[in-house]
Amino acid sequence: MKIIVTKDYKELSAKAAEVMIGVVKQDPHAVLGLATGTTPLGLYAEMIADHKENGTDYSRVRTANLDEYKGLPKTHPQSYAYFMRKNLFDGLGIAPGQTNIEDGTAKDAAAECARYDALLEALPRDIQLLGLGSNGHIAFNEPGTPFGSGTHTVTLAESTVKDNARLFDDISQVPREAFTMGIRQIMQAKKILILASGENKADAVFKMVKGEVTEQVPASVLQLHPDCILIADRQAAAKL
Ligand code: F6R
């Protein structure tokens, strides 16, 4: 794993944008695996600023997101589909037909997982962006998820519900279940970019980079990926 430590979140976002923009410049048809959460917001703002200033073209990229809350339609302001449209896709002029995400409202969850797995097989990602859960999760693959897992539904760990409550009016509104891309498909991406910011990620960063490769720390699997870049700010990298 290549590790880049930055002085702060701003520099982390700028460095991450260099990597993402580099992939799109190299191949305008690139398939981008994308993440939600707080960590990529600075990166997404940098990508939009670059698109406006330098005209980096996203008209031919395709995207696949990691996860979606179960039960939320894509028009729901807390859904990840809505988050992506508001924080990235509209700013880059990416049309809905270029994007992919699990359907949170799917009645038949098993069929929806199978649909998304088939889609991912047909759409190998050139880069997969990841955030890191404070418990070491990647996407919503919580500790204990088999490394060979495909797209599946999960009951979120209590720590994840607490971490995500800041984005809702009240913790009772945080959905307890989600669809998530599996670890197997994350590892299939040609390149992985994982971002970590802030001291509450320091333990997870340490375990991911220096700990044993174990299903108890899902992110530790990234030690086995041939082209994985971690960009962490000083606080997140404090225990390395
Ligand atoms: C988001 C996702 C999650 C987050 C992780 C970190 O699509 O899959 O794994 O990346 O929970 O979240 P933040 O960035 O909010 O700390």
Side-chain angles (χ1 to χ4, degrees), residues 34-40 65-67 80 130-134 137-141 160 163-164 166-167 180 195 197 200-201:
L34 297 172
T36 58
T38 311
T39 316
N65 259 81
L66 291 171
D67 37 23
Y80 284 168
L130 298 173
L132 177 65
S134 59
H137 75 207
I138 45 176
F140 276 140
N141 294 287
T160 302
D163 284 351
N164 290 0
R166 68 189 188 283
L167 305 168
T180 184
L195 308 179
S197 169
N200 67 321
K201 301 292 171 72

Side-chain angles (χ1 to χ4, degrees), residues 10 17-19 25 50 54-55 77 114 134 139 180 205 228 236:
K10 197 171 162 21
E18 272 174 36
V19 176
K25 284 210 162 131
D50 163 77
N54 307 317
S134 59
T180 184
V205 166
C228 178

Side-chain angles (χ1 to χ4, degrees), residues 1 147 183 187 189 192 208-209 211-215 218-228:
M1 190 182 297
F147 285 161
I183 293 178
M187 290 296 279
I192 292 182
M208 165 174 71
V209 175
E212 181 196 345
V213 176
T214 163
E215 289 175 351
S220 65
V221 76
L222 300 176
Q223 292 179 29
L224 307 177
H225 194 280
D227 186 6
C228 178

Side-chain angles (χ1 to χ4, degrees), residues 159-217:
S159 62
T160 302
V161 172
K162 274 195 201 126
D163 284 351
N164 290 0
R166 68 189 188 283
L167 305 168
F168 288 78
D169 291 337
D170 188 83
I171 192 164
S172 66
Q173 292 175 10
V174 184
R176 276 10 193 206
E177 286 185 295
F179 287 98
T180 184
M181 192 188 288
I183 293 178
R184 177 162 50 83
Q185 294 121 349
I186 289 174
M187 290 296 279
Q188 279 167 354
K190 238 185 254 168
K191 185 191 258 316
I192 292 182
L193 173 61
I194 182 159
L195 308 179
S197 169
E199 61 186 344
N200 67 321
K201 301 292 171 72
D203 278 329
V205 166
F206 176 81
K207 288 183 187 155
M208 165 174 71
V209 175
K210 298 252 166 93
E212 181 196 345
V213 176
T214 163
E215 289 175 351
Q216 293 315 311
V217 182

Side-chain angles (χ1 to χ4, degrees), residues 10-217:
K10 197 171 162 21
E11 196 190 355
L12 172 153
S13 302
K15 286 251 183 283
E18 272 174 36
V19 176
M20 293 295 284
I21 292 165
V23 169
V24 174
K25 284 210 162 131
Q26 203 185 334
D27 180 3
H29 293 92
V31 180
L32 310 177
L34 297 172
T36 58
T38 311
T39 316
L41 285 173
L43 156 67
Y44 291 166
E46 293 274 351
M47 288 169 73
I48 292 169
D50 163 77
H51 171 67
K52 298 215 153 86
E53 282 158 30
N54 307 317
T56 305
D57 179 22
Y58 291 86
S59 63
R60 285 165 292 171
V61 303
R62 280 165 304 160
T63 71
N65 259 81
L66 291 171
D67 37 23
E68 179 60 284
Y69 285 124
K70 223 171 150 198
L72 300 192
K74 59 176 186 275
T75 48
H76 191 290
Q78 303 292 358
S79 74
Y80 284 168
Y82 187 94
F83 173 103
M84 291 307 299
R85 180 113 322 271
K86 182 165 131 259
N87 293 301
L88 189 68
F89 297 153
D90 281 348
L92 297 180
I94 294 181
Q98 295 171 257
T99 69
N100 298 283
I101 190 164
E102 297 94 330
D103 175 4
T105 64
K107 292 269 171 311
D108 182 342
E112 178 57 9
C113 292
R115 179 195 71 85
Y116 208 60
D117 268 350
L119 183 141
L120 294 170
E121 284 300 326
L123 206 62
R125 275 124 297 124
D126 292 287
I127 187 163
Q128 178 63 60
L129 174 68
L130 298 173
L132 177 65
S134 59
N135 66 355
H137 75 207
I138 45 176
F140 276 140
N141 294 287
E142 300 287 18
T145 307
F147 285 161
S149 61
T151 303
H152 58 285
T153 56
V154 284
T155 300
L156 302 181
E158 208 39 46
S159 62
T160 302
V161 172
K162 274 195 201 126
D163 284 351
N164 290 0
R166 68 189 188 283
L167 305 168
F168 288 78
D169 291 337
D170 188 83
I171 192 164
S172 66
Q173 292 175 10
V174 184
R176 276 10 193 206
E177 286 185 295
F179 287 98
T180 184
M181 192 188 288
I183 293 178
R184 177 162 50 83
Q185 294 121 349
I186 289 174
M187 290 296 279
Q188 279 167 354
K190 238 185 254 168
K191 185 191 258 316
I192 292 182
L193 173 61
I194 182 159
L195 308 179
S197 169
E199 61 186 344
N200 67 321
K201 301 292 171 72
D203 278 329
V205 166
F206 176 81
K207 288 183 187 155
M208 165 174 71
V209 175
K210 298 252 166 93
E212 181 196 345
V213 176
T214 163
E215 289 175 351
Q216 293 315 311
V217 182

